[in-house]
Amino acid sequence: MDLTPSKLAYVPFVSVDDMMKIVNHIGAAQMIAEIADYIEADFKRWELFDKTPRVAAHSEEGVIELMPTSDGETYGFKYVNGHPANMARGFQTVTAFGVLARVDNGYPVLLSEMTILTALRTAATSVVAARHLAPKDAKVMAMIGNGAQCEFQALAFHKVLGIEEVRLYDIDPAATAKAARNLENTGLRVVPCKTGEEAISGAQIITTCTADKQYATILTDNMVGSGVHINAIGGDCPGKTELHRDILLRSDIFVEYPPQTRIEGEIQALEADHPVTELWEVITGKAQGRRDARQITLFDSVGFATEDFSALRYVRDQLDRVGAYVQLDMLADPDDPRDLFGMVQRAKGA
Ligand code: NAD
């Protein structure tokens, strides 16, 4: 990286349009697989990271959150919202942007849209967890909730886990029809279903990805047979869960960062000391993932800052591969660092 101060004053910015160019250049499934490797690599150096539950500002309608972390060399954060009622008003439920910065001088080195990138990184994180937890011979996945995240999840499981069939269900049939249309010609067998029960029949992996700001029951206990892997994404906020408590009591539960998941995840419904296993421990071999064929494994995903950091790191590394970004004049850089005022005055004359 060029360390000339004037060069550092320009910050690469990846817009939504640029991100779409990057995704279409690399291919969505391939990009998710590559981000998964970055996420897994960062989980392997978990102990190095600054970690904190995200800083959340809650309202009646939803939540706005900041998700910071640092590996000591690079600092990153994501701004993200979650507004379940947005969809009915024609807005996205989740929108985001993120920043990477140098720790040594504090200068930002990347500003990026993260609405699309969050969908990619969430799918990538799901398959990182499933690589260690799902039954090895899994070929069928139920996908409950067919909103913005849905196709990214389906493609990720097809590409990385070898899932051949995805069974779609959403309370809104238009969402299922949209997802089925978008997944045509991807190599996946797509089966739209009329109920959650129909969707999970024959599935070895169940992904729940619904948005509703309440303690919802997307899966009841009798729907979940032994041996399945549940990838629970939608419950990611205080007062917002998807699974009946009895499912949790029958499952081995894997989480990203317990202090955050206890606040936001499915395990809100359990006692504060209910045992959970941290995903990084499974990835590094400190803890066991799937043990046997009858075990129910549950990835209680809420989305953690290191995953966004990994995704931003990945995007930064692709800048020259695709060339889809602009340089933002984001930092004031007077020739004499103390003469900020003089720089403003000279601009008036220029
Ligand atoms: P979205 O609003 O685009 O889609 C949600 C879908 O869920 C909608 O199609 C809706 O009709 C459906 N739905 C609602 N209630 C349902 C029910 N009872 N049964 C079946 N379907 C139902 O939202 P999205 O962007 O796809 O996100 C989905 C959820 O995932 C949100 O809650 C979001 O906060 C969460 N999320 C989590 C992570 C993570 O890292 N864990 C990342 C991104 C999003």
Side-chain angles (χ1 to χ4, degrees):
M1 181 177 290
D2 190 339
L3 297 183
T4 320
S6 62
K7 290 280 174 11
L8 286 177
Y10 289 93
V11 180
F13 169 58
V14 177
S15 67
V16 173
D17 196 46
D18 293 329
M19 188 61 77
M20 293 194 289
K21 286 189 184 127
I22 296 172
V23 175
N24 287 323
H25 179 90
I26 297 171
Q30 178 62 26
M31 190 162 162
I32 291 168
E34 292 177 13
I35 293 173
D37 291 340
Y38 272 62
I39 289 173
E40 185 140 350
D42 283 341
F43 269 117
K44 283 187 179 148
R45 37 185 214 129
W46 180 256
E47 284 159 299
L48 208 87
F49 281 93
D50 259 0
K51 293 178 283 294
T52 175
R54 58 186 149 199
V55 183
H58 294 280
S59 63
E60 284 289 301
E61 296 81 12
V63 63
I64 293 176
E65 299 163 327
L66 290 178
M67 302 171 71
T69 191
S70 167
D71 68 358
E73 253 179 47
T74 306
Y75 171 91
F77 76 86
K78 177 168 87 170
Y79 165 103
V80 62
N81 77 307
H83 284 69
N86 266 5
M87 201 229 326
R89 298 187 288 170
F91 301 124
Q92 290 289 120
T93 300
V94 175
T95 63
F97 67 87
V99 170
L100 283 184
R102 296 164 57 109
V103 167
D104 61 356
N105 69 352
Y107 273 34
V109 293
L110 177 69
L111 172 63
S112 176
E113 88 79 41
M114 286 195 80
T115 304
I116 299 167
L117 191 58
T118 292
L120 296 162
R121 82 83 157 110
T122 304
T125 305
S126 292
V127 290
V128 166
R131 276 208 275 240
H132 297 274
L133 303 176
K136 286 284 164 275
D137 56 352
K139 294 285 174 238
V140 179
M141 177 165 88
M143 184 75 228
I144 302 184
N146 304 149
Q149 311 301 317
C150 170
E151 296 91 326
F152 297 91
Q153 290 283 327
L155 281 180
F157 278 84
H158 178 50
K159 171 85 178 170
V160 180
L161 270 280
I163 288 298
E164 294 170 357
E165 176 174 312
V166 63
R167 303 176 65 80
L168 303 176
Y169 170 67
D170 194 292
I171 37 166
D172 179 357
T176 303
K178 174 266 321 177
R181 210 167 43 243
N182 287 339
L183 291 170
E184 275 172 15
N185 306 318
T186 55
L188 269 167
R189 196 163 54 247
V190 180
V191 183
C193 300
K194 294 210 160 39
T195 63
E197 285 83 352
E198 188 189 339
I200 64 169
S201 115
Q204 297 91 24
I205 299 177
I206 303 172
T207 293
T208 54
C209 192
T210 64
D212 200 355
K213 199 158 186 199
Q214 59 160 322
Y215 295 115
T217 310
I218 305 305
L219 293 181
T220 53
D221 191 33
N222 61 335
M223 289 166 77
V224 178
S226 66
V228 298
H229 173 62
I230 305 172
N231 174 42
I233 299 167
D236 62 351
C237 199
K240 177 161 163 272
T241 58
E242 296 181 300
L243 309 181
H244 192 281
R245 185 173 186 272
D246 290 350
I247 300 173
L248 309 186
L249 296 175
R250 286 166 62 216
S251 305
D252 286 308
I253 303 173
F254 299 83
V255 303
E256 293 141 314
Y257 179 57
Q260 182 176 311
T261 313
R262 299 245 183 233
I263 299 168
E264 302 178 350
E266 296 300 322
I267 57 172
Q268 290 173 64
L270 300 177
E271 289 65 39
D273 59 353
H274 188 92
V276 296
T277 306
E278 297 186 44
L279 189 57
W280 75 273
E281 294 184 305
V282 176
I283 290 171
T284 55
K286 273 181 188 267
Q288 200 173 7
R290 173 164 289 271
R291 270 193 319 272
D292 64 62
R294 294 191 54 76
Q295 179 190 18
I296 300 171
T297 49
L298 165 62
F299 177 42
D300 186 1
S301 158
V302 292
F304 188 59
T306 58
E307 296 148 24
D308 299 306
F309 180 93
S310 312
L312 286 168
R313 215 163 57 68
Y314 171 82
V315 169
R316 184 190 56 189
D317 290 352
Q318 309 318 305
L319 290 180
D320 293 332
R321 176 173 172 190
V322 185
Y325 66 96
V326 294
Q327 295 280 20
L328 283 190
D329 182 15
M330 219 171 103
L331 293 166
D333 62 332
D335 296 335
D336 171 356
R338 283 171 303 189
D339 195 17
L340 189 62
F341 190 80
M343 185 183 78
V344 175
Q345 281 188 317
R346 284 191 292 280
K348 190 163 61 178

